[in-house]
Amino acid sequence: MLIVKKFGGTSVANKERIFNVAKRCIRDYEKGHDVVVVLSAMGKYTDELIDKAKDINPNPPKREMDMLFTIGEQMSVSLMAMAMAELGVRAISLNAFQVAMKTTSAYGNARLKKIDTERIRRELEDRKIVIVTGFQGVNKYNDYTTLGRGGSDTTAVALAAALHADACEIYTDVDGVYTADPRLVPTARKLKAITYDEMLDLATLGAGVLHNRSVEMAKKYGVRLVVRSSLNESEGTVVKEVVKKVERMIISGVALDRNADRISVIGIQDVPGSAFKLFNTLAKKNINVDIIIQSVGREGTKDISFTVSHENLKEAIDVLEEYQEVLGFERVEYNCDVAKLSIVGAGMMSNPGVAAKMFECLYNQNVNINMIATSEIRITVLVSTKDAVKAMNAVHDAFGLSEE
């Protein structure tokens, strides 16, 4: 049996936790399994590297940031290999060059293209535990790249797919996937299982347990994911294609994303192709947008509002102002004092009235809705930041998510 295990930064934050992780991996190794371990940088080390970079250059080149970031994961994997050696088990650490994890050249947000598994398989055949740097890759110029937020999850799932692993276990500081963030919603409870689609939406909409790209990849390649805690022995949550009806609820979870800003493009021409030009211009700059609302045309113009992540706000505004004449709009406005609140559940497809129930709940809490977006399995609303946590708890209670 081949198992890929990914451990986040809090799981390897200090000597005690490094040895804890080493012992957990060794237990499976001693059962005769092949074990591949993917690690993030220790604790808050990546944040320390960002601070060091900003101290030198407030606006550092993305290529050089990727070069800097790779230090964190390389330190984690080498120390883990040393810990396993101290415990009497043969292990080897490998970085993105040694594995040959080929990516695109989008520094800071690269995508994996191909993984050469030959070196890993050779080391596994030699009965070693293989410890691989998460979050990083190598582009066609032989430069280091990083995979963006949650990149170590993506590394683990990609390795599990490439190696045809029997399981991919994602270890975090929580013991599974909850109906909501338990730090914000005290009554949230852990789910035994959740579908890929539900997990993908929750991850995209602010649930920080798994990164959305890793879930997307797991679904594509049929990788069985298990989200578990590195700090206890609980069973965790299984992410899979289908969840039994007996486990099915109308709503599986509530997510809150406080990293969303609203941009409004006012007075854009009300002609065919104007929306395409607007969003194509942003796409060329690798700026992702989420909720989109277009007003009814008036006197030959219309308004288009959409959300972007906070880190993309300045660049999006700069791009729009640069191309204002080409795009043909009057002005651009933005609002940082908003948050995205979402409910997700495959059960809502066959249950009418879910949206009305959510909106009634927000009305009862005197929470105003700024924007709305829907799909078959989710409803997202934009609300004021000050109302976000109150609204999240109210919606969670309204759909009975705290009940077994």
Side-chain angles (χ1 to χ4, degrees):
M1 186 171 176
L2 172 56
I3 306 170
V4 175
K5 295 174 176 284
K6 178 265 174 179
F7 293 88
T10 55
S11 303
V12 292
N14 54 43
K15 176 182 176 181
E16 180 185 359
R17 291 188 177 183
I18 287 173
F19 273 98
N20 173 57
V21 167
K23 290 171 183 175
R24 291 192 77 147
C25 296
I26 288 170
R27 283 209 301 268
D28 280 325
Y29 172 83
E30 289 179 338
K31 292 176 183 176
H33 302 315
D34 289 329
V35 179
V36 176
V37 185
V38 176
L39 299 182
S40 299
M42 296 173 63
K44 300 293 184 179
Y45 191 71
T46 299
D47 292 336
E48 293 177 28
L49 293 174
I50 292 173
D51 290 340
K52 289 179 187 296
K54 295 291 177 72
D55 189 43
I56 298 294
N57 183 340
N59 190 28
K62 288 184 178 180
R63 180 201 178 276
E64 302 309 326
M65 287 301 292
D66 279 6
M67 187 73 169
L68 180 67
F69 282 148
T70 54
I71 297 169
E73 280 70 28
Q74 290 190 177
M75 181 166 68
S76 291
V77 297
S78 58
L79 291 174
M80 184 61 67
M82 294 175 195
M84 290 182 179
E86 175 66 15
L87 294 170
V89 172
R90 298 173 72 216
I92 186 168
S93 63
L94 300 174
N95 67 15
F97 267 103
Q98 292 164 318
V99 174
M101 304 193 74
K102 299 295 185 181
T103 72
T104 61
S105 295
Y107 298 108
N109 195 31
R111 300 229 168 211
L112 283 166
K113 294 170 67 179
K114 182 183 179 183
I115 299 176
D116 186 347
T117 59
E118 182 183 348
R119 176 73 184 273
I120 295 177
R121 292 188 184 281
R122 193 164 69 242
E123 301 294 354
L124 290 173
E125 287 171 5
D126 197 28
R127 282 303 288 156
K128 293 176 186 172
I129 294 178
V130 179
I131 311 159
V132 181
T133 52
F135 181 58
Q136 62 179 241
V138 184
N139 68 15
K140 63 183 179 182
Y141 306 112
N142 278 337
D143 286 341
Y144 275 118
T145 57
T146 60
L147 306 180
R149 285 177 58 196
S152 293
D153 289 350
T154 305
T155 302
V157 174
L159 279 170
L163 293 165
H164 304 291
D166 297 283
C168 182
E169 300 174 348
I170 307 291
Y171 290 83
T172 70
D173 54 353
V174 295
D175 57 355
V177 179
Y178 279 71
T179 52
D181 186 337
R183 293 167 296 187
L184 301 177
V185 181
T187 57
R189 65 182 181 85
K190 188 174 72 176
L191 299 168
K192 291 182 179 179
I194 190 169
T195 67
Y196 289 125
D197 287 336
E198 289 171 322
M199 189 68 247
L200 180 57
D201 268 359
L202 284 173
T204 302
L205 297 166
V209 181
L210 283 174
H211 191 253
N212 59 330
R213 278 165 60 183
S214 68
V215 182
E216 193 174 21
M217 189 176 292
K219 180 184 179 183
K220 181 178 179 180
Y221 294 103
V223 175
R224 186 176 185 272
L225 288 177
V226 183
V227 182
R228 304 180 65 181
S229 171
S230 61
L231 307 177
N232 61 50
E233 300 291 334
S234 65
E235 291 184 2
T237 302
V238 178
V239 185
K240 55 187 180 179
E241 187 65 45
V242 178
V243 174
K244 295 177 184 176
K245 284 187 178 180
V246 70
E247 300 170 345
R248 165 70 49 228
M249 299 179 292
I250 296 174
I251 301 301
S252 294
V254 182
L256 182 66
D257 183 1
R258 289 183 282 194
N259 187 40
D261 295 334
R262 186 183 74 188
I263 295 177
S264 296
V265 178
I266 310 298
I268 195 167
Q269 292 179 328
D270 188 14
V271 295
S274 58
F276 161 71
K277 288 179 184 177
L278 171 63
F279 293 112
N280 188 52
T281 300
L282 294 170
K284 285 180 177 177
K285 300 293 183 179
N286 290 316
I287 297 171
N288 288 323
V289 304
D290 187 15
I291 306 176
I292 302 172
I293 286 184
Q294 177 176 292
S295 69
V296 176
R298 64 188 187 286
E299 298 179 359
T301 68
K302 58 190 174 186
D303 303 336
I304 298 178
S305 297
F306 54 92
T307 58
V308 298
S309 63
H310 184 67
E311 56 265 25
N312 282 335
L313 176 66
K314 184 181 183 302
E315 187 176 4
I317 296 296
D318 290 345
V319 169
L320 291 172
E321 290 178 345
E322 180 184 351
Y323 289 91
Q324 181 173 0
E325 189 174 335
V326 175
L327 296 172
F329 61 86
E330 293 174 14
R331 67 185 187 278
V332 60
E333 299 175 353
Y334 64 90
N335 183 1
C336 300
D337 190 27
V338 293
K340 284 192 301 188
L341 176 65
S342 307
I343 57 173
V344 174
M348 71 171 66
M349 286 187 289
S350 55
N351 286 272
V354 174
K357 186 174 183 177
M358 181 184 189
F359 300 154
E360 180 187 23
C361 171
L362 296 175
Y363 164 71
N364 289 337
Q365 295 294 319
N366 198 31
V367 174
N368 189 45
I369 299 172
N370 293 303
M371 298 172 71
I372 302 169
T374 64
S375 75
E376 285 186 325
I377 67 166
R378 66 126 161 165
I379 300 168
T380 298
V381 296
L382 207 63
V383 300
S384 172
T385 302
K386 66 179 176 61
D387 294 328
V389 175
K390 174 180 73 172
M392 185 183 194
N393 277 270
V395 170
H396 188 272
D397 289 345
F399 284 98
L401 294 180
S402 57
E403 303 164 9
E404 285 291 346

